[in-house]
Structures are given as structure tokens and as C-alpha cells.
Amino acid sequence: MKSPAFVVLLAAVAAIPLAALRAQDSAGGTTNVSISAEGEAVYRQICQACHMADARGGSGAGTGIPALADNPRLADKAYAIDILVNGSGGMPWFTDMLTPQQIAAVLNHVRGHFNAYPDPVTVAEVEQAIAAAGGDS
Amino acid sequence: MPAASDLTDQIAVPTRRQLLGMIGTMGGAAAMYQAMTALGHAAETQFTGPPVLSGARPGASVVVLGAGLAGLAAALELSRAGYSVQVLEYQDRAGGRNYSVRGGDRIVEVGGATQTCEFAPGNYINPGPWRIPHHHRTLLHYCKTLGVELEPFIQNNHNGLIHRSNAFGGQPQRYKELAVDFKGHVSELLGKALNDGALDGKVSAEDKEKLLVAMREWGVLDRNMAFTPSIALSGQRGYDIPPGGGLDPAPTASTPNGLADVLSSNVWTQMGFYFNYVMQTTMFQPKGGMDQIAAGFMRQIGAMVRLNTRVAKIAQDASGVTVDWTDNATGQTGQTKADWCVCTIPPPVLSQIELQASDALLAAVRAVPMNGQLKIGLEMRRRFWEEDYAIYGGHSFTDQAISQLSYPNDKFFQDGPAVLLGAFANGAGALQLTGMTPAERIEVALDQGSVFHPAEYRREFISGVSVPWSRMPWIQGCTSRWTDASRAQHYTNLVTMDGRVVLAGEHATYYGGWMEGSLLSALNAIEQLHQRATAA
Ligand SMILES: Cc1cc2nc3c(=O)[nH]c(=O)nc-3n(C[C@H](O)[C@H](O)[C@H](O)COP(=O)(O)OP(=O)(O)OC[C@H]3O[C@@H](n4cnc5c(N)ncnc54)[C@H](O)[C@@H]3O)c2cc1C
């Protein structure tokens, strides 16, 4: 093994502990990325990253990312709302990225366009689920 | 309900009170700094050397799932302690997120989109980890002992650029100018507040005097405590005519930007960024690519690692652990039996695999989704950022989805193609880019990155690759997402050995999002395992 050109930093280096420890490696600034209010566009801008443009999902090292199209579980709108508000496994919660309006709009797109469930998700239902989860949206 | 947000924020012009609040924060940090230096040190990571595991039972075996840094470190230390170790890894390479992409490498996404990297030989991009703080003692220990050569990572480049769409008419500005101007204006304001007596109830007369001196010196104010152009100030923010020699003209002062413009740049977010414990210099990167760390481990324990092996089921009973797997290359299925198991499979995947464990552990695994960052590497014909902009390594920041450019930290001044980081997107910006085709992502990166280097960016571009972490089949994310509530409810359950299985990895540490955390988690996991194995 080659000897590494490396110097161990034995000297303890003083550091400035700020209250907010930066938990993860991340970019050094803040971005202004806007998200549409409209369900189809929210799907394209956010959900399609994982569930794919055709909402057919895809396979991975586990079962992969589920299809949202023709998905019988989404008949239960309370289930669909719960998934977006609280997350589930690899599916993150979206309450800190999307407003209740956007969540309702995208669920209506998913349940109406990629499936044919007629009963709309209302903003009030999303807000209730958020409140039940202990948030103030 | 998650409280923390890693997402977008809006620019708001701070009120006077907010401004003073910011100053207070900086004063607090400075005061804290004094206190810490007086003590001689600040706490570093909880590493005092790898655990000494003695007395392993002869023949005791461990199966390690996943060959990222957590799995590799667990395997190395357990084998040193005398355990018989087998590592099962899904991908055709070891390292996991410890990954570099070079010419010829293929990137296959969930959904099937496939890219082949076309970079010139020797060029690479680190799509995951890329920087190592000087206080990550565990990682530095392994780099040193595994012969991984490190070089500086240029973290803070004062000559980098800052762009915000609605500041300075969209024209990027040099970090040093904005940071010096911010400091100067804030000093001037605090000086005014002090001289107006606005803080008389808050600071003693003696401290007031000291603060006035500090503001004048630190802010480079004039004798009237005003932030005005001067040669002294240009000594920080740069000159209009820089110093020359002989009969060259004398230097002339540059003019600072006005307060409103400086505030609209949000430069304090970058200044604050560099104050973060994990973002402070000195920082390192392995020479030749981050994956040299995994390569270092593999030189030691490569023979124990079975690649292309997809773990499908993890069962345990009183006598041992049984792992079912499928060989990705041949389709062959098999089982590996061992006495104990260290599982480092990331939660989004692990939650989709049959795992025989307590309900508490299973619930914990389901409670940790991941952030989905995205990085883009762009190969350019020449180092125009060095040649035309005097930017050598470090970053330029923007409020667009790409979030930043980062310039290569090695091979300065060389001719020929070089690779820069054309996007490190997170939050909604990352998801928007991830949802595009690879070609569309490169187009957006070129478009957004052109604000910094308009004449050169597209002209010198050769090729690019993107790594959308949410679509990497073996992880479906990048860094784990804990909240205070999920930590309180699930963390201890997640990291406590459950029968014969113990979890480790980036999700199983308070130091999430850093290789250091993965290693600390692995070392703690094998200590738990060893304790149980020797007590049994
Ligand atoms: C964009 C980004 C930037 C980062 N920046 C930094 C940085 O600058 N500095 C830093 O220190 N850290 C950084 N990190 C964090 C760092 O990458 C991680 O903490 C660390 O590499 C994770 O190691 P691990 O072993 O815990 O997990 P991984 O490396 O993810 O290893 C898990 C392994 O499990 C395998 N696996 C998955 N499913 C299966 C299966 N079914 N069967 C078998 N094997 C399976 C995977 O293929 C993988 O190899 C960054 C991460 C990202 C994504």
C-alpha cells in the first residue's frame, strides 16, 4: 500500500457551534422554485420524479415505486390523503412542500385522470388530515 | 407532523428589528467562539478509534447487507475481530453512495432512463458525497489507514459568484464584494444605533465603546462611522484600479453596493452557510474521486463482498439469520445463513423487503423517507472559470433550481476538458429536474448556469450526466429525513439490535447525510452485535 500524502490533524480545531447544526450536506443557498396550483402541473413538477410521467412507477431493489395509475387502493380518498400528509415508507410527506390546495389538486388529478374515481378530495379534508396529524399546515 | 423544512423560501426585505436580530446572532456566535477558544477546543465527532472487539467465538459468522461505507466498515472491523463475514451488495460495484461517475459508466434510473457518461479519461463527478470536514475523525482515520490520498476541497471561494433572479438585475456579483458590503452596512447601522443611544439600556458604557471600535474596524467604516469607499475598504472588496508596479497608476477605490441591493442578494445565507460546523474549512476530497474510499476498503475485504446480489428477504430465529437473495446477473436465487446480521440497506428499500423483526423496528424503518437531491456534471472544453474569471474551485450560488455551480478542486491551470458541478438541486427544484428526461435536465442546467458564464457556458460544453437520487433503484433517495417527532418515536427502536439483526447506515445516526455518520453507526452496530454474540 502506498503511503498516503496525508497529514492527520491532531490539533483540536476550535469551532463555532451555532444553534442550528446543518444536519446534512446540502447546497449553500436557498432557491425560489415555484410550484403550480394546478393538479396536472403539480404531478408533473413533483410526483413524476418518482411515480413517472405515466404514473406507472418502476422497479427497484425492493418492490420499487408503485404505480398510481389504475390503483385500487386510491379508491379510498382518506388513504390517499393520509399518504401525502404523513408519508409512508419511501414516500415522503408533502405538507412542507405543498399547500393543502395543491395536495387536493394533485390528488384529484391522480384519482381522476390516472384512475376514474369520481368523488373529489376537498381542501377541507386535507386540512383536517393535517390538523389530525398535529400540524397547522 | 414534520416541522423542519428544507425547501424554498421567499425573499423578504428584513425589518430593522430582523436586521438587529441577525447582528445579535452573529455577536452571539462570536461570543461563543471566544468562549470555546478560551476552553481550548470544541467537541468533535464521537470517535476515539475503532472498537476493540476481543473474544469473538471461533467460527461465529455475520452477513452484512449492503456494501456502502457502513457495510464495508462493519465487515472490515468484524473480520479483524475474527468473525467470518459475507457481504451481499445489490449493485455491480461496492461503495453505495460513495460513488464517482467517469467516462463509460452507465446510469440506469427507476423507469429505465439510461445515460452513458462521456467524460474524458481522468475526469469524473462525485454525484453523492464530495467534501470531508476536518473534524470527521472516523472517516479521516479510515482514509489514512486504507491509503486513500486526500487533497483540499476548496469550500470557501471569495471570488465565486452569487446570483439571485431579482437582485442586481439578475447580474451575478462576487461573493467577496457582497459579503464585505453586508458587513459594512450592518456595522454602520449598529454604529448608528449605538451612537443614537438606542442600545443604551442593553449594553454597558464600556461595551458600547468597544462595540463602536469593533464596528469601525470590522466594517471598515470611515472616521464618521460611515460605510464609504476607501482604499482600506478596497483592500477587502477589491479595487477599481488594482495596485500595480513602477509607473503603473496608483490604485483607486471601488464603490460599495447600496444596502437595498446587498439585502436583495441574500448574501447572508452564504455567509451563514460557511459558519456551519460541517461546512467549515479545512475540507478534503479523495484524489481521483470519492469512490477511492470504497476502493480502499475493497483492497482489504473485496473477497468477502458478493456483488449483483439483491437481498429479497431477511429471516431470523433462535439459531441464526437466513437471507434470501437473487443474483441480478444470472437470475440465480440463493440463501446465505449466518449467526448475525448487520443490515445497511437504506430505509426506502428496506421497508419494501420482508424483514423478520419486531413491530417497533419495522415501524421505524417505515418512518424514514429520504430527500431526493440531484447533481449534474458538465464537461467543458476548457477551464474558462479559471482562465476568464479567476475562480479556482469552490462555489457560485443561485436561487434557480440548480442551486449552485461548483468548480473542480484539482488539476488547476491544466489545459483540456474539465468537469464542473452544474447542479446540486434539492427540495422542489430537485424533484422538478428529476421528473425530466436526462437530456432535458442538461438543457435546464445549461440554461440556468449560463447566468454565471454567459459567453462560455454553452460554447465550451461537451457533455453532461445527471444523477437523480430519487430514481436510483438501490436507494430511491439521497439522505434520510428525520423530524424531531420521528426521532423521539422511532430512532432508538431503529438503532437497537433486534434479535440477531442490527441496522446501520446513514439513517441510523444523529449525523445523517454524512459519511461520518454512516461509519459511526456501523461501529456502534458491531459493538452491539459483538456484545450479544459474546454474551450468548
Ligand atoms: C447528494 C449527496 C451529497 C452528499 N454529500 C456528502 C458529503 O459531502 N460528505 C459526506 O460525508 N457525506 C455526504 N453524503 C452522505 C453520504 O453519501 C452517506 O452518508 C454515505 O455514503 C452512506 O453510506 P451507507 O453505507 O450508510 O449507505 P449506502 O452507501 O447507501 O449503502 C447502502 C448499500 O445497500 C445496497 N442495497 C440497497 N438495496 C439492497 C438490496 N436489496 N440488497 C443488497 N444490497 C442493497 C445499496 O446498493 C448500497 O450499496 C451525501 C449524500 C448525497 C446523496
Side-chain angles (χ1 to χ4, degrees), chain B residues 50-376:
Chain B
V52 181
L53 310 177
S54 58
R57 308 222 162 159
S61 59
V62 183
V63 59
V64 175
L65 309 181
L69 290 197
L72 291 170
L76 176 66
E77 297 299 344
L78 286 168
S79 62
R80 278 180 178 160
Y83 291 90
S84 146
V85 178
Q86 167 85 72
V87 185
L88 305 178
E89 166 56 47
Y90 171 78
Q91 297 182 75
D92 61 4
R93 60 169 184 89
R97 275 166 274 183
N98 187 268
Y99 177 35
S100 304
V101 176
R102 300 183 179 77
D105 289 349
R106 263 161 46 96
I107 302 167
V108 183
E109 302 175 15
V110 172
T114 302
Q115 306 167 69
T116 302
C117 179
E118 292 168 14
F119 295 164
N123 282 346
Y124 67 89
I125 186 82
N126 289 329
W130 54 325
R131 50 188 159 199
I132 304 172
H134 58 273
H135 49 80
H136 283 185
R137 292 295 182 90
T138 323
L139 187 58
L140 293 174
H141 160 85
Y142 282 105
C143 288
K144 183 174 164 67
T145 54
L146 297 172
V148 180
E149 194 175 336
L150 300 181
E151 63 191 3
F153 177 97
I154 314 295
Q155 169 74 337
N156 188 345
N157 185 338
H158 290 76
N159 215 29
L161 296 161
I162 308 278
H163 166 263
R164 274 190 95 81
S165 311
N166 61 359
F168 294 94
Q171 290 301 309
Q173 306 292 309
R174 298 282 183 179
Y175 171 78
K176 63 171 178 280
E177 295 173 3
L178 294 175
V180 169
D181 293 352
F182 181 78
K183 174 166 72 71
H185 283 297
V186 167
S187 300
E188 185 188 73
L189 283 171
L190 183 56
K192 276 186 187 148
L194 286 162
N195 278 330
D196 289 353
L199 299 174
D200 281 359
K202 301 259 184 346
V203 292
S204 68
E206 194 189 339
D207 286 349
K208 177 173 170 175
E209 281 318 303
K210 287 182 185 159
L211 267 173
L212 283 166
V213 174
M215 290 306 105
R216 196 181 64 232
E217 291 180 2
W218 189 60
V220 202
L221 307 181
D222 65 19
R223 74 164 68 80
N224 300 317
M225 295 293 285
F227 185 51
T228 52
S230 69
I231 288 294
L233 178 62
S234 297
Q236 291 196 350
R237 69 187 304 288
Y239 307 80
D240 267 3
I241 296 178
L247 285 176
D248 288 341
T252 59
S254 62
T255 307
N257 296 296
L259 175 65
D261 281 339
V262 174
L263 291 179
S264 68
S265 79
N266 274 32
V267 67
W268 64 82
T269 55
Q270 275 78 43
M271 297 169 76
F273 173 72
Y274 293 127
F275 266 108
N276 281 293
Y277 184 41
V278 289
M279 292 300 169
Q280 291 167 21
T281 58
T282 304
M283 294 194 123
F284 299 102
Q285 65 179 18
K287 246 191 162 117
M290 190 52 79
D291 64 353
Q292 294 310 299
I293 302 179
F297 277 105
M298 288 298 277
R299 282 194 291 273
Q300 304 287 319
I301 56 161
M304 298 170 202
V305 181
R306 192 182 201 285
L307 298 174
N308 281 315
T309 307
R310 170 184 169 154
V311 170
K313 185 179 167 188
I314 304 158
Q316 58 170 322
D317 61 23
S319 66
V321 180
T322 304
V323 177
D324 291 7
W325 47 261
T326 308
D327 187 303
N328 292 329
T330 63
Q332 172 206 348
T333 57
Q335 278 192 338
T336 298
K337 290 179 188 287
D339 298 325
W340 312 99
C341 174
V342 178
C343 176
T344 72
I345 297 174
V349 175
L350 186 58
S351 66
Q352 298 180 337
I353 289 178
E354 197 180 331
L355 166 63
Q356 209 170 21
S358 67
D359 289 345
L361 179 62
L362 297 179
V365 171
R366 290 196 62 76
V368 193
M370 288 176 121
N371 299 302
Q373 286 90 328
L374 173 143
K375 279 191 186 174
I376 293 178

Side-chain angles (χ1 to χ4, degrees), chain A residues 43 51 54-58 64-74 110 115:
Chain A
Y43 185 84
H51 293 283
D54 58 5
R56 298 273 158 207
I65 295 170
L68 299 182
D70 304 325
N71 184 328
R73 280 186 296 274
L74 303 191
V110 167
N115 297 274

Side-chain angles (χ1 to χ4, degrees), chain B residues 509-524:
Chain B
T509 168
Y510 287 102
Y511 227 136
W514 292 92
M515 295 179 285
E516 180 75 5
S518 296
L519 294 172
L520 288 170
S521 139
L523 298 183
N524 184 272

Side-chain angles (χ1 to χ4, degrees), chain A residues 1 6 8 22-28 30-32 34 45 48-49 52 60-64 88-89 93 96 133 135, chain B residues 1-2 4 7 9 110 130-131 144 150 164 300 310 352 366 371 399-400 403-404 432 435 471 473 479-481 512:
Chain A
M1 201 187 302
F6 177 94
V8 194
R22 193 168 201 91
Q24 304 188 326
D25 180 71
S26 61
T30 50
T31 49
N32 279 309
S34 58
Q45 292 173 344
Q48 152 174 332
M52 303 297 147
T63 51
S88 164
W93 55 83
D96 47 13
Chain B
M1 254 324 280
L7 307 173
D9 74 346
V110 172
W130 54 325
R131 50 188 159 199
K144 183 174 164 67
L150 300 181
R164 274 190 95 81
Q300 304 287 319
R310 170 184 169 154
Q352 298 180 337
R366 290 196 62 76
N371 299 302
D399 63 348
Q400 305 171 97
S403 184
Q404 70 182 78
Q432 292 187 2
R471 284 194 184 174
T479 51
S480 53
R481 229 167 132 176

